Amino acid sequence: MSQDNIYIKNKKAYFEYHVLDKYVAGIQLLGTEIKSIRQGKANINDAFCSFINGQLYVRNLHISEYSFGSFYNHEAKRDRVLLLNKKELKKLLTKGEEKGFTIVPLALFISERGFAKLEIALAQGKKDFDKRETMKERDSKRELDRVMKS
């Protein structure tokens, strides 16, 4: 099947944040949502995670409506529950409440067993000069690769 090559990245997250801890969480989805993800019709660039009543939710995760769905189709930007074990949830809750820390989605992918997974990270926001530093590193790496290639 072609589902194993679905890997939707949030490139903006690595530019905007310092990634500290990574976790892989399952997502509670509806039938038409998983079908859309398998077609690659999802966008996680504006998504973020937050706790609501002790459960971790991913918000603003855009999964396009399933093209073959009937009137039972899902809402494109609804809040979806993330599935983690209690120990991981507790750690994220305590760390996420500290000043400057946030939980950001890094990638959306399909596991070997066919389940949709979201790679999330505990991250700290970068300052403007850090972002400029990241851009300089990227440019120098690109220049070095160009010189090595020729």
Side-chain angles (χ1 to χ4, degrees):
M1 288 186 123
S2 64
Q3 70 189 33
D4 50 330
N5 60 2
I6 299 295
Y7 194 83
I8 301 162
K9 279 197 248 182
N10 185 359
K11 292 179 184 174
K12 201 166 76 172
Y14 286 102
F15 183 69
E16 301 274 334
Y17 301 98
H18 288 293
V19 175
L20 304 173
D21 274 344
K22 289 183 183 177
Y23 299 91
V24 175
I27 318 173
Q28 190 173 322
L29 297 171
L30 300 173
T32 52
E33 288 174 329
I34 188 65
K35 290 175 182 180
S36 281
I37 290 173
R38 286 189 179 132
Q39 290 180 340
K41 295 190 164 109
N43 181 2
I44 63 170
N45 286 341
D46 299 328
F48 63 96
C49 301
S50 62
F51 279 93
I52 303 170
N53 297 331
Q55 281 193 314
L56 187 61
Y57 283 84
V58 63
R59 309 182 80 177
N60 266 4
L61 171 64
H62 185 277
I63 300 175
S64 299
E65 287 192 357
Y66 184 55
S67 52
F68 303 109
S70 61
F71 59 92
Y72 290 114
N73 231 329
H74 64 274
E75 222 180 292
K77 279 200 171 188
R78 71 179 189 89
D79 297 348
R80 295 166 181 92
V81 178
L82 290 179
L83 309 169
L84 288 161
N85 59 36
K86 281 185 179 169
K87 195 167 75 175
E88 290 172 329
L89 280 172
K90 192 174 180 185
K91 186 176 180 184
L92 281 170
L93 182 61
T94 54
K95 283 283 193 181
E97 286 175 346
E98 289 179 28
K99 190 178 186 307
F101 287 105
T102 186
I103 304 163
V104 291
L106 299 177
L108 178 66
F109 62 97
I110 305 287
S111 70
E112 304 87 51
R113 293 177 59 197
F115 296 126
K117 300 286 184 179
L118 189 68
E119 186 179 6
I120 59 173
L122 183 65
Q124 193 171 22
K126 282 186 182 178
K127 304 280 189 267
D128 283 340
F129 65 86
D130 289 334
K131 291 179 188 176
R132 284 194 291 273
E133 195 66 37
T134 304
M135 286 167 56
K136 283 179 194 171
E137 286 173 19
R138 196 180 317 136
D139 289 343
S140 64
K141 184 180 184 300
R142 195 175 299 137
E143 190 67 37
L144 189 66
D145 288 346
R146 195 178 299 130
V147 171
M148 295 293 233
K149 202 178 244 185
S150 58

